[in-house]
């Protein structure tokens, strides 16, 4: 193979595909208030997607405690309002979280322990100006997690001059198999999707089937509180 051919092949492969990443999710008190949850800098996710030169426009933070998992996101650099439709969840702008409570990195189809949560800054209500949180089905899944009670997911969003600030909370009861005391390792993936700015992903980009293949997700360890 020539040097030119080798370089062309390398460009076809996202560099993060060559690694299996593991990260820690800090244990922090998650108290939901009118402004959502506040998470410290220590909860900020690494921007591993930059290895593949994917867009970077959001500060994404995640933390957990025994009551569930909280997220806090700030999106910057926008010149238009987010495109969000409650009737078209998978096509909307927002924050997508994939969580496998049994961390099965060698499977290619989701099980009943795999979840996809979506938090949108708008799209709900008659005027489409209310934030939305939803459990979204994973395509090609072998089984689905247990249904969640309406309104059990919490979401808050505030518009900013160049984007938005969003906060969300997933209660433990909304995650089938969530049991940090005996299973502290999760399959985990995150993507901030924006029609204007692109996809900011935890690692691999949308050219890979990250939305429905758990083997492409990262691993996350629920760091125990001191």
């Amino acid at each position: 193979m020539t040097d030119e051919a080798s370089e062309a092949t390398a460009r076809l492969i996202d560099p993060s595909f060559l690694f299996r990443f593991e990260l820690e999710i800090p244990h922090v008190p998650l108290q939901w208030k009118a402004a959502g949850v506040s998470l410290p800098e220590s909860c900020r996710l690494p921007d591993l997607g930059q290895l593949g030169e994917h867009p970077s426009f959001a500060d994404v933070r995640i933390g957990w405690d025994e009551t569930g998992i909280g997220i806090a996101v700030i999106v910057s650099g926008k010149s238009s309002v987010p495109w969000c439709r409650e009737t078209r969840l998978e096509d909307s702008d927002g924050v997508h979280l994939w969580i496998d409570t049994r961390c099965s990195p060698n499977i290619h189809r989701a099980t009943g322990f795999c979840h996809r949560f979506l938090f949108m800054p708008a799209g709900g209500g008659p005027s489409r100006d209310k934030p939305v949180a939803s459990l979204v089905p994973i395509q090609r899944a072998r089984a689905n997690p247990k249904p969640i009670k309406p309104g059990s997911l919490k979401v808050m969003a505030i518009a900013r001059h160049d984007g938005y600030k969003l906060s969300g909370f997933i209660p433990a009861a909304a995650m089938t198999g969530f049991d940090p005391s005996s299973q502290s390792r999760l399959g985990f993936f995150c993507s901030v999707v924006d029609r204007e700015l692109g996809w900011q992903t935890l690692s691999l980009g949308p050219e890979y089937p990250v939305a429905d293949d758990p083997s492409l997700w990262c691993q996350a360890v629920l760091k125990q509180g001191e």
Side-chain angles (χ1 to χ4, degrees):
M1 181 180 292
T2 65
D3 291 342
E4 291 79 4
S6 297
E7 292 178 2
T9 300
R11 286 194 296 269
L12 294 175
I13 300 175
D14 190 312
S16 61
F17 183 74
L18 305 175
F19 302 92
R20 178 159 286 180
F21 296 106
E22 178 180 299
L23 54 94
E24 285 188 342
I25 298 179
H27 183 282
V28 294
L30 297 178
Q31 185 176 0
W32 187 265
K33 300 181 179 179
V37 293
S38 178
L39 297 176
E41 175 69 26
S42 60
C43 292
R44 185 172 184 175
L45 289 179
D47 193 358
L48 303 173
Q50 290 195 45
L51 291 173
E53 300 181 352
H54 299 300
S56 179
F57 52 84
D59 179 314
V60 182
R61 303 183 185 193
I62 184 167
W64 81 280
D65 67 10
E66 287 69 21
T67 65
I69 291 177
I71 62 166
V73 180
I74 298 177
V75 170
S76 305
K78 290 183 60 58
S79 58
S80 61
V81 297
W83 194 94
C84 302
R85 299 290 186 274
E86 195 169 16
T87 55
R88 295 177 61 183
L89 296 176
E90 294 192 23
D91 298 326
S92 296
D93 294 349
V95 182
H96 298 252
L97 293 179
W98 288 264
I99 296 173
D100 176 7
T101 58
R102 285 297 178 266
C103 190
S104 305
N106 296 318
I107 61 174
H108 296 281
R109 295 176 63 184
T111 69
F113 299 106
C114 298
H115 311 69
R116 179 182 180 179
F117 296 101
L118 169 61
F119 296 88
M120 303 191 308
S127 301
R128 297 176 180 167
D129 59 347
K130 304 297 184 183
V132 174
S134 180
L135 174 63
V136 181
I138 297 177
Q139 300 297 319
R140 300 175 55 250
R142 294 184 181 275
N144 296 314
K146 297 176 182 178
I148 62 175
K149 295 180 180 179
S152 60
L153 302 177
K154 298 183 183 297
V155 62
M156 182 284 305
I158 299 174
R160 304 172 73 239
H161 71 282
D162 65 341
Y164 60 86
K165 179 179 180 180
L166 181 145
S167 185
F169 177 71
I170 306 169
M175 293 178 282
T176 301
F178 185 72
D179 185 7
S181 62
S182 62
Q183 180 67 33
S184 61
R185 185 178 298 271
L186 307 175
F188 180 78
F189 197 78
C190 176
S191 178
V192 183
V193 177
D194 190 275
R195 288 197 172 198
E196 178 186 359
L197 302 176
W199 282 52
Q200 177 176 320
T201 60
L202 181 58
S203 56
L204 294 171
E207 64 274 16
Y208 290 82
V210 292
D212 53 37
D213 186 346
S215 72
L216 299 177
W217 303 349
C218 301
Q219 296 184 34
V221 176
L222 298 175
K223 187 177 179 181
Q224 299 297 318
E226 298 179 355

